[in-house]
Amino acid sequence: MSRSLVILAGVLLVVAGLAPIAAMFVRVEASDWSGLIESRTLLLLARTAGLGLSAAGLALALGLPFGWLTARSDVVGAKVLRSLGVVPLLLPPIILAMTWTMIVDLRGMTMTVLLLGLGTAPLVSLFVGRAVERIDARREEAALLVGGTRAVIAMELPLVLPPALCGACLAFVFAINDFALPDFVSSVGPKFSVYADEVFASWRVWNAPGQAVVTAVPLVLLSLLALVPALALRRRGAMSTLDSSFRRPNDLKLGAWRWPALLFCVAFVTLGALVPIGRLFFEAGGGHLPAGWSAITLRGAFARAIELSRDNVASTLVYSGAAATIAVPFALVLGHAAERARVGWAIQALAILPLAVPGVLLGIGTIALWSRPSTASFYAGGGLVVLLLIGRYLAFPVLVSSGAVASLNEGLEDAGRLSGAGPIRRLVQLVAPSIVPSLIGGWVLVFVLAVRELDAAILVPAANDMVMYRVFNQVHFGRSDFVAALALIVVFLIVLPGLIWTLFGKRRMEILP
């Protein structure tokens, strides 16, 4: 392990992710802390915690059976369904909101829970699918001999439950920190305020940065309470090293339950992916059947969206691609150190800290850190946006790399060390080639999350030219076929890297932290 590389990667983590957090607290005054125990703040905290628990519970209820069925059973079309099952996670939450609220006349907390639970359920299914793939066939054969299919399920449930709970913990964090979806869902009808709303209002409406920071402290602590067990749970079942004698079991025969299982899986994919995307096509084509919808209107909507938002799309691609490309090599260094170094736990803890901070709050910290005369040119440029996106999402490729390194036999690096290879050479020539699917997966994660980033982009002026901010602004000023077409362009940008890898990659991409 190269100490200089670790220090260099640590500097990036500090500057991009930790310094904005520290800069926020500089703006805090003693009087700001008085509002922390107000009844309104406590009510918002309880409401947000309830929202997170409800969404995470729904994600667990949907994601665990879907992940197990598509990875482990003989359900029809399991591979296709498994791939489509990731789409709800890739869709920006506000796109789920702007489509489903037009289909179902439901608002408030119920709709928010349903959409956040549906959108984060793939986190659970991905972890479950990965855990299932690491169950040795010999264990299944023994369970089948003892008690048949029920014994197999009873044997596998304790193995997949910890990874499933890890995914649920991440779903909880995503839900309680989301600002745009609850804001949009309650834009019509009774206002459903969550904690992120209070943070945003403290900054934008009341112009009280110190109060915004203090207000967010309980939310950050709540996020950490979910992230810490998530890190512990991810090591159980989903990160085990497979020995040379490992055999993957055959698909489990469901018998009479095969068709109900298929119905459940198809329903999940339909509700989470096909209906929202279909609704966008419907709106882009005119929004009225049968006479009002036409392919000509659809083409016109796309042409107008490209013409009016070309610069937004280009900026988003540049910012997101640059953030992903810069983040991955640094994440490899930090992920390797997190797994091999004695202080690896500290590296992981520091890496996940920006995940515990709401995007709105990280945007406030970025403004507090860089909005000054000496850094004015950087603050107004695209470099700040790239740095913001790296700081917000560096944790994911770090955790993905760490998990991939954990599955490698240390003897590989020991052999390189004995042959005289230095730490950098071992990392580049031995470790990196062995975990290429994970490195590609880390790149895709940062890129996708950066494309769909909205909460921080709302506040940071340099990020206002990103395409999701254009969608957010436009949809609040009025629905049109242009908005639907622009949202579909965003969806295409998000799924494009995975589609390219599926077509040309020879190995499966690893995207799990």
Coordinates of all heavy atoms in Angstrom, one line a residue, residues 330-414:
F330 N -9.3 7.3 -7.4 CA -9.1 7.6 -6.0 C -9.9 6.7 -5.1 O -9.4 6.3 -4.0 CB -9.6 9.1 -5.7 CG -8.6 10.1 -6.3 CD1 -8.8 10.7 -7.5 CD2 -7.5 10.5 -5.6 CE1 -8.0 11.6 -8.1 CE2 -6.6 11.4 -6.1 CZ -6.8 12.0 -7.3
A331 N -11.1 6.3 -5.5 CA -11.9 5.3 -4.8 C -11.2 4.0 -4.7 O -11.3 3.3 -3.6 CB -13.2 5.2 -5.4
L332 N -10.5 3.6 -5.7 CA -9.7 2.3 -5.7 C -8.6 2.4 -4.6 O -8.5 1.4 -3.8 CB -9.0 2.0 -7.0 CG -8.0 0.9 -7.1 CD1 -8.7 -0.4 -6.7 CD2 -7.4 0.8 -8.4
V333 N -7.9 3.5 -4.5 CA -6.9 3.6 -3.4 C -7.5 3.6 -2.1 O -7.1 2.9 -1.2 CB -6.1 4.9 -3.7 CG1 -5.1 5.2 -2.5 CG2 -5.4 4.9 -5.0
L334 N -8.6 4.4 -1.9 CA -9.2 4.4 -0.6 C -9.9 3.1 -0.2 O -9.9 2.6 0.9 CB -10.3 5.5 -0.5 CG -9.7 7.0 -0.6 CD1 -10.8 8.0 -0.7 CD2 -8.9 7.3 0.7
G335 N -10.6 2.4 -1.2 CA -11.2 1.2 -1.0 C -10.2 0.1 -0.6 O -10.5 -0.7 0.3
H336 N -9.1 0.1 -1.3 CA -8.0 -0.9 -0.9 C -7.5 -0.7 0.5 O -7.3 -1.6 1.3 CB -6.9 -0.8 -2.0 CG -5.8 -1.8 -1.8 ND1 -4.7 -1.5 -1.0 CD2 -5.7 -3.1 -2.2 CE1 -3.9 -2.6 -1.0 NE2 -4.5 -3.6 -1.7
A337 N -7.3 0.6 0.8 CA -6.8 0.9 2.1 C -7.8 0.6 3.2 O -7.5 0.2 4.3 CB -6.4 2.4 2.2
A338 N -9.1 0.9 2.9 CA -10.1 0.6 3.9 C -10.2 -0.9 4.2 O -10.6 -1.3 5.3 CB -11.5 1.0 3.3
E339 N -9.8 -1.8 3.2 CA -9.9 -3.2 3.5 C -8.6 -3.8 4.0 O -8.6 -4.7 4.8 CB -10.2 -3.9 2.2 CG -10.6 -5.4 2.3 CD -11.8 -5.6 3.3 OE1 -12.7 -4.7 3.2 OE2 -11.8 -6.5 4.0
R340 N -7.5 -3.2 3.7 CA -6.2 -3.8 4.0 C -5.5 -3.1 5.2 O -4.7 -3.7 5.9 CB -5.2 -3.8 2.8 CG -5.8 -4.6 1.6 CD -5.8 -6.0 1.9 NE -6.0 -6.8 0.7 CZ -6.9 -7.8 0.5 NH1 -7.7 -8.1 1.5 NH2 -7.0 -8.4 -0.6
A341 N -5.7 -1.8 5.4 CA -5.0 -1.0 6.4 C -5.6 -1.2 7.8 O -6.8 -1.6 7.9 CB -5.0 0.5 6.1
R342 N -4.8 -1.0 8.8 CA -5.3 -1.1 10.2 C -6.4 -0.1 10.5 O -7.2 -0.4 11.4 CB -4.1 -1.0 11.2 CG -3.1 -2.1 11.1 CD -2.0 -1.9 12.0 NE -0.9 -2.9 11.9 CZ 0.2 -2.9 12.7 NH1 0.4 -2.0 13.5 NH2 1.0 -3.9 12.5
V343 N -6.3 1.0 9.9 CA -7.3 2.1 10.2 C -8.4 2.1 9.1 O -9.0 3.2 8.8 CB -6.6 3.5 10.3 CG1 -5.7 3.5 11.5 CG2 -5.8 3.8 9.0
G344 N -8.6 1.0 8.5 CA -9.6 0.9 7.4 C -10.9 1.3 7.8 O -11.7 2.0 7.1
W345 N -11.3 1.0 9.1 CA -12.6 1.4 9.6 C -12.8 2.9 9.6 O -13.9 3.4 9.3 CB -12.8 0.9 11.0 CG -11.8 1.4 12.0 CD1 -10.6 0.9 12.3 CD2 -12.0 2.6 12.8 NE1 -10.0 1.6 13.2 CE2 -10.8 2.7 13.5 CE3 -12.9 3.5 12.9 CZ2 -10.6 3.7 14.4 CZ3 -12.7 4.6 13.8 CH2 -11.6 4.7 14.6
A346 N -11.7 3.6 9.9 CA -11.7 5.1 9.9 C -11.9 5.7 8.5 O -12.6 6.6 8.3 CB -10.5 5.7 10.6
I347 N -11.3 5.0 7.6 CA -11.4 5.5 6.2 C -12.8 5.3 5.7 O -13.4 6.2 5.1 CB -10.4 4.7 5.3 CG1 -9.0 5.1 5.6 CG2 -10.7 5.0 3.8 CD1 -7.9 4.2 4.9
Q348 N -13.4 4.2 6.0 CA -14.8 3.9 5.6 C -15.7 4.9 6.3 O -16.7 5.4 5.7 CB -15.2 2.5 6.0 CG -14.6 1.4 5.0 CD -15.4 0.1 5.1 OE1 -16.5 0.1 5.6 NE2 -14.7 -0.9 4.7
A349 N -15.5 5.2 7.6 CA -16.4 6.1 8.3 C -16.3 7.5 7.7 O -17.4 8.2 7.6 CB -16.0 6.1 9.8
L350 N -15.1 8.0 7.4 CA -15.0 9.3 6.8 C -15.6 9.3 5.4 O -16.2 10.3 5.0 CB -13.5 9.7 6.7 CG -12.9 10.0 8.1 CD1 -11.4 10.2 7.9 CD2 -13.5 11.2 8.8
A351 N -15.5 8.2 4.7 CA -16.0 8.2 3.3 C -17.5 8.2 3.3 O -18.1 8.9 2.4 CB -15.5 6.9 2.6
I352 N -18.2 7.6 4.2 CA -19.6 7.6 4.2 C -20.3 8.9 4.9 O -21.5 9.1 4.7 CB -20.2 6.4 4.9 CG1 -20.0 6.4 6.5 CG2 -19.7 5.1 4.3 CD1 -20.7 5.4 7.2
L353 N -19.4 9.7 5.5 CA -20.0 10.8 6.2 C -20.8 11.8 5.3 O -21.9 12.2 5.6 CB -18.9 11.6 6.9 CG -19.3 12.8 7.8 CD1 -20.3 12.2 8.9 CD2 -18.1 13.4 8.5
P354 N -20.3 12.1 4.0 CA -21.1 12.9 3.1 C -22.4 12.3 2.8 O -23.4 13.0 2.4 CB -20.2 13.1 1.9 CG -18.8 12.9 2.4 CD -18.9 11.8 3.5
L355 N -22.5 10.9 2.8 CA -23.8 10.3 2.5 C -24.9 10.6 3.6 O -26.1 10.6 3.3 CB -23.7 8.8 2.4 CG -22.9 8.2 1.2 CD1 -22.9 6.7 1.2 CD2 -23.6 8.7 -0.1
A356 N -24.4 10.8 4.8 CA -25.3 11.1 5.9 C -25.8 12.5 5.9 O -26.7 12.9 6.6 CB -24.6 10.8 7.2
V357 N -25.2 13.4 5.0 CA -25.6 14.8 5.0 C -26.6 15.0 3.8 O -26.3 14.5 2.7 CB -24.4 15.7 4.7 CG1 -24.8 17.1 4.6 CG2 -23.4 15.5 5.9
P358 N -27.7 15.6 4.0 CA -28.7 15.8 2.9 C -28.0 16.6 1.8 O -27.2 17.5 2.1 CB -29.8 16.6 3.6 CG -29.7 16.3 5.1 CD -28.2 16.1 5.3
G359 N -28.4 16.3 0.6 CA -27.9 17.1 -0.5 C -28.0 18.6 -0.4 O -27.1 19.3 -0.8
V360 N -29.2 19.0 0.1 CA -29.4 20.4 0.3 C -28.4 21.0 1.3 O -27.8 22.1 1.0 CB -30.8 20.7 0.9 CG1 -31.0 22.1 1.4 CG2 -31.9 20.3 -0.1
L361 N -28.0 20.3 2.3 CA -27.1 20.8 3.3 C -25.6 20.8 2.7 O -24.9 21.7 3.0 CB -27.1 19.9 4.6 CG -26.4 20.5 5.8 CD1 -27.1 21.8 6.2 CD2 -26.5 19.5 6.9
L362 N -25.3 19.7 1.9 CA -24.0 19.7 1.3 C -23.9 20.9 0.3 O -22.8 21.5 0.2 CB -23.8 18.4 0.6 CG -22.3 18.1 0.2 CD1 -21.5 17.9 1.4 CD2 -22.2 16.8 -0.7
G363 N -25.0 21.2 -0.4 CA -24.9 22.4 -1.2 C -24.7 23.7 -0.4 O -23.9 24.5 -0.9
I364 N -25.3 23.8 0.7 CA -25.1 25.0 1.6 C -23.6 25.0 2.0 O -23.0 26.1 2.0 CB -26.0 24.9 2.8 CG1 -27.4 25.1 2.4 CG2 -25.6 26.0 3.8 CD1 -28.4 24.9 3.5
G365 N -23.0 23.9 2.4 CA -21.6 23.8 2.8 C -20.7 24.2 1.6 O -19.7 24.8 1.8
T366 N -21.0 23.7 0.4 CA -20.2 24.1 -0.7 C -20.2 25.6 -1.0 O -19.2 26.2 -1.3 CB -20.7 23.3 -2.0 OG1 -20.7 21.9 -1.7 CG2 -19.9 23.7 -3.2
I367 N -21.4 26.2 -0.8 CA -21.5 27.7 -1.0 C -20.7 28.4 0.1 O -19.9 29.3 -0.2 CB -23.0 28.1 -0.9 CG1 -23.7 27.5 -2.1 CG2 -23.1 29.6 -0.9 CD1 -25.2 27.7 -2.1
A368 N -20.8 27.9 1.3 CA -20.1 28.5 2.4 C -18.6 28.4 2.2 O -17.8 29.3 2.6 CB -20.5 27.9 3.8
L369 N -18.1 27.3 1.6 CA -16.7 27.1 1.5 C -16.1 27.8 0.3 O -14.9 28.4 0.5 CB -16.4 25.6 1.3 CG -15.0 25.1 1.1 CD1 -14.2 25.4 2.4 CD2 -14.9 23.6 0.8
W370 N -16.8 27.9 -0.8 CA -16.2 28.5 -2.0 C -16.7 29.8 -2.4 O -16.1 30.5 -3.3 CB -16.4 27.5 -3.2 CG -15.7 26.2 -2.9 CD1 -16.3 25.0 -2.6 CD2 -14.3 25.9 -3.0 NE1 -15.4 24.0 -2.4 CE2 -14.2 24.5 -2.7 CE3 -13.2 26.6 -3.4 CZ2 -12.9 23.9 -2.7 CZ3 -12.0 26.0 -3.4 CH2 -11.8 24.6 -3.0
S371 N -17.8 30.3 -1.8 CA -18.3 31.6 -2.2 C -17.6 32.7 -1.5 O -18.1 33.3 -0.5 CB -19.8 31.7 -1.9 OG -20.4 32.9 -2.3
R372 N -16.5 33.1 -2.0 CA -15.6 34.2 -1.5 C -14.8 34.8 -2.6 O -14.6 34.1 -3.6 CB -14.7 33.6 -0.3 CG -13.8 32.5 -0.8 CD -13.1 31.8 0.4 NE -14.1 31.0 1.2 CZ -14.2 31.0 2.5 NH1 -13.4 31.8 3.2 NH2 -15.1 30.3 3.2
P373 N -14.4 36.0 -2.4 CA -13.7 36.7 -3.5 C -12.5 35.9 -4.1 O -12.2 35.9 -5.3 CB -13.2 38.0 -2.9 CG -14.2 38.2 -1.8 CD -14.6 36.9 -1.3
S374 N -11.7 35.3 -3.2 CA -10.5 34.6 -3.7 C -10.8 33.4 -4.5 O -9.9 32.9 -5.3 CB -9.6 34.2 -2.4 OG -10.4 33.3 -1.6
T375 N -12.0 32.8 -4.4 CA -12.3 31.6 -5.2 C -13.5 31.9 -6.1 O -14.2 30.9 -6.5 CB -12.6 30.4 -4.3 OG1 -13.7 30.8 -3.4 CG2 -11.4 30.0 -3.5
A376 N -13.8 33.1 -6.4 CA -15.0 33.5 -7.2 C -15.0 32.8 -8.6 O -16.1 32.3 -9.0 CB -15.0 35.0 -7.3
S377 N -13.9 32.8 -9.3 CA -13.9 32.2 -10.6 C -14.1 30.7 -10.5 O -14.9 30.1 -11.4 CB -12.5 32.4 -11.3 OG -11.5 31.9 -10.5
F378 N -13.6 30.0 -9.5 CA -13.8 28.6 -9.4 C -15.3 28.3 -9.0 O -15.9 27.4 -9.5 CB -12.9 28.0 -8.4 CG -13.1 26.5 -8.1 CD1 -12.7 25.6 -9.1 CD2 -13.7 26.0 -7.0 CE1 -12.9 24.2 -8.9 CE2 -13.9 24.7 -6.8 CZ -13.4 23.8 -7.7
Y379 N -15.8 29.2 -8.1 CA -17.2 29.0 -7.6 C -18.2 29.1 -8.8 O -19.2 28.5 -8.8 CB -17.4 30.1 -6.6 CG -18.9 30.1 -6.0 CD1 -19.3 29.1 -5.1 CD2 -19.8 31.1 -6.4 CE1 -20.6 29.1 -4.6 CE2 -21.1 31.1 -5.9 CZ -21.5 30.1 -5.0 OH -22.7 30.0 -4.5
A380 N -17.9 29.9 -9.8 CA -18.8 30.1 -10.8 C -18.7 29.2 -12.0 O -19.4 29.2 -13.0 CB -18.7 31.6 -11.4
G381 N -17.7 28.3 -11.9 CA -17.3 27.4 -13.0 C -17.8 26.0 -12.8 O -18.2 25.6 -11.8
G382 N -17.6 25.2 -13.9 CA -18.0 23.8 -13.8 C -17.1 22.9 -12.9 O -17.5 21.9 -12.5
G383 N -15.9 23.4 -12.6 CA -15.0 22.6 -11.7 C -15.6 22.4 -10.4 O -15.5 21.4 -9.8
L384 N -16.4 23.4 -9.9 CA -17.0 23.3 -8.6 C -18.1 22.2 -8.6 O -18.3 21.5 -7.7 CB -17.6 24.7 -8.2 CG -18.4 24.6 -6.9 CD1 -17.5 24.5 -5.7 CD2 -19.2 25.9 -6.7
V385 N -18.8 22.2 -9.7 CA -19.9 21.2 -9.9 C -19.3 19.8 -9.8 O -19.8 18.9 -9.1 CB -20.7 21.4 -11.2 CG1 -21.8 20.4 -11.2 CG2 -21.2 22.8 -11.3
V386 N -18.2 19.6 -10.5 CA -17.5 18.3 -10.5 C -17.1 17.9 -9.1 O -17.2 16.8 -8.7 CB -16.3 18.3 -11.5 CG1 -15.5 17.0 -11.4 CG2 -16.8 18.5 -13.0
L387 N -16.5 18.9 -8.4 CA -16.0 18.6 -7.1 C -17.2 18.3 -6.1 O -17.1 17.4 -5.3 CB -15.3 19.9 -6.6 CG -14.4 19.7 -5.3 CD1 -13.3 18.7 -5.5 CD2 -13.9 21.0 -4.8
L388 N -18.3 19.0 -6.3 CA -19.5 18.8 -5.5 C -20.0 17.3 -5.7 O -20.3 16.6 -4.8 CB -20.6 19.8 -5.9 CG -22.0 19.5 -5.3 CD1 -22.0 19.7 -3.8 CD2 -23.0 20.5 -6.0
L389 N -20.1 16.9 -7.0 CA -20.6 15.6 -7.3 C -19.6 14.5 -6.8 O -20.1 13.4 -6.3 CB -20.7 15.4 -8.8 CG -21.8 16.3 -9.4 CD1 -21.8 16.2 -10.9 CD2 -23.2 16.0 -8.9
I390 N -18.3 14.7 -6.8 CA -17.3 13.8 -6.3 C -17.5 13.7 -4.8 O -17.6 12.6 -4.2 CB -15.9 14.2 -6.6 CG1 -15.6 14.1 -8.1 CG2 -14.9 13.4 -5.8 CD1 -14.3 14.6 -8.5
G391 N -17.6 14.8 -4.1 CA -17.8 14.8 -2.7 C -19.1 14.1 -2.2 O -19.1 13.4 -1.2
R392 N -20.1 14.3 -3.0 CA -21.5 13.7 -2.7 C -21.5 12.2 -2.9 O -22.1 11.5 -2.1 CB -22.5 14.3 -3.6 CG -23.9 13.9 -3.2 CD -24.8 15.1 -3.1 NE -26.2 14.8 -3.1 CZ -26.9 14.2 -2.1 NH1 -26.3 13.9 -1.0 NH2 -28.2 14.0 -2.3
Y393 N -20.8 11.7 -3.9 CA -20.9 10.2 -4.2 C -19.6 9.4 -4.2 O -19.6 8.3 -4.6 CB -21.6 10.2 -5.6 CG -22.9 10.8 -5.6 CD1 -23.3 11.8 -6.5 CD2 -23.9 10.3 -4.8 CE1 -24.5 12.4 -6.5 CE2 -25.2 10.8 -4.8 CZ -25.5 11.9 -5.7 OH -26.8 12.4 -5.7
L394 N -18.5 10.0 -3.8 CA -17.3 9.2 -3.7 C -17.4 8.0 -2.8 O -16.8 6.9 -3.1 CB -16.1 10.1 -3.2 CG -14.8 9.4 -3.1 CD1 -14.3 9.0 -4.5 CD2 -13.8 10.4 -2.4
A395 N -18.3 8.0 -1.8 CA -18.4 6.9 -0.9 C -18.8 5.6 -1.7 O -18.4 4.5 -1.3 CB -19.4 7.2 0.1
F396 N -19.6 5.7 -2.7 CA -20.1 4.5 -3.4 C -19.0 3.7 -4.1 O -18.9 2.5 -3.8 CB -21.2 4.9 -4.3 CG -22.5 5.2 -3.7 CD1 -22.9 6.5 -3.5 CD2 -23.3 4.2 -3.1 CE1 -24.1 6.8 -2.9 CE2 -24.5 4.5 -2.5 CZ -24.9 5.8 -2.4
P397 N -18.2 4.3 -4.9 CA -17.1 3.5 -5.5 C -16.1 3.1 -4.5 O -15.4 2.1 -4.6 CB -16.5 4.5 -6.5 CG -16.9 5.9 -6.2 CD -18.2 5.7 -5.5
V398 N -15.9 3.9 -3.4 CA -15.0 3.4 -2.3 C -15.5 2.1 -1.7 O -14.8 1.2 -1.5 CB -14.9 4.5 -1.2 CG1 -14.2 3.9 0.0 CG2 -14.1 5.7 -1.7
L399 N -16.8 2.1 -1.4 CA -17.4 0.9 -0.8 C -17.4 -0.3 -1.8 O -17.2 -1.4 -1.4 CB -18.8 1.2 -0.3 CG -18.9 2.1 0.9 CD1 -20.3 2.4 1.3 CD2 -18.1 1.6 2.1
V400 N -17.7 0.0 -3.1 CA -17.7 -1.0 -4.1 C -16.3 -1.6 -4.2 O -16.1 -2.8 -4.3 CB -18.2 -0.5 -5.4 CG1 -17.9 -1.5 -6.6 CG2 -19.6 -0.2 -5.4
S401 N -15.3 -0.8 -4.3 CA -13.9 -1.2 -4.4 C -13.5 -2.0 -3.1 O -12.8 -3.0 -3.2 CB -12.9 0.0 -4.6 OG -13.2 0.7 -5.8
S402 N -13.9 -1.5 -2.0 CA -13.6 -2.2 -0.7 C -14.1 -3.6 -0.7 O -13.5 -4.6 -0.3 CB -14.1 -1.4 0.5 OG -14.0 -2.1 1.7
G403 N -15.4 -3.7 -1.1 CA -16.0 -5.1 -1.2 C -15.3 -6.0 -2.2 O -15.2 -7.2 -1.9
A404 N -14.9 -5.4 -3.3 CA -14.2 -6.2 -4.3 C -12.9 -6.7 -3.8 O -12.5 -7.9 -4.0 CB -14.1 -5.5 -5.6
V405 N -12.2 -5.8 -3.1 CA -10.8 -6.2 -2.6 C -11.0 -7.2 -1.5 O -10.2 -8.2 -1.4 CB -10.1 -4.9 -2.0 CG1 -8.9 -5.3 -1.2 CG2 -9.7 -4.0 -3.1
A406 N -12.1 -7.1 -0.7 CA -12.3 -8.1 0.3 C -12.5 -9.5 -0.2 O -12.2 -10.5 0.4 CB -13.6 -7.7 1.2
S407 N -13.0 -9.6 -1.4 CA -13.3 -10.9 -2.1 C -12.0 -11.5 -2.7 O -12.0 -12.7 -3.1 CB -14.4 -10.8 -3.1 OG -14.0 -10.0 -4.2
L408 N -10.9 -10.7 -2.8 CA -9.7 -11.2 -3.4 C -8.8 -11.9 -2.3 O -8.8 -11.4 -1.1 CB -8.9 -10.0 -3.9 CG -9.4 -9.3 -5.2 CD1 -8.5 -8.2 -5.6 CD2 -9.6 -10.3 -6.3
N409 N -8.2 -12.9 -2.7 CA -7.2 -13.6 -1.8 C -6.0 -12.7 -1.6 O -5.4 -12.3 -2.6 CB -6.8 -14.9 -2.4 CG -6.2 -15.8 -1.4 OD1 -5.4 -15.4 -0.6 ND2 -6.5 -17.1 -1.5
E410 N -5.6 -12.5 -0.4 CA -4.5 -11.6 -0.1 C -3.2 -12.3 -0.6 O -2.2 -11.6 -0.7 CB -4.4 -11.4 1.4 CG -5.4 -10.4 2.0 CD -5.0 -9.9 3.4 OE1 -3.9 -9.3 3.6 OE2 -5.9 -10.2 4.3
G411 N -3.2 -13.6 -0.8 CA -2.0 -14.2 -1.3 C -1.5 -13.7 -2.6 O -0.3 -13.7 -3.0
L412 N -2.5 -13.2 -3.4 CA -2.1 -12.6 -4.7 C -1.2 -11.4 -4.5 O -0.2 -11.3 -5.2 CB -3.4 -12.1 -5.5 CG -3.2 -11.5 -6.8 CD1 -2.7 -12.5 -7.8 CD2 -4.5 -10.9 -7.3
E413 N -1.5 -10.5 -3.6 CA -0.7 -9.4 -3.3 C 0.6 -9.8 -2.6 O 1.7 -9.2 -2.8 CB -1.5 -8.3 -2.5 CG -2.6 -7.8 -3.2 CD -3.4 -6.8 -2.3 OE1 -2.8 -5.7 -2.0 OE2 -4.6 -7.0 -2.0
D414 N 0.5 -10.8 -1.8 CA 1.7 -11.3 -1.1 C 2.7 -11.8 -2.1 O 4.0 -11.6 -2.0 CB 1.4 -12.4 -0.1 CG 0.6 -11.8 1.1 OD1 0.7 -10.6 1.4 OD2 -0.1 -12.6 1.7

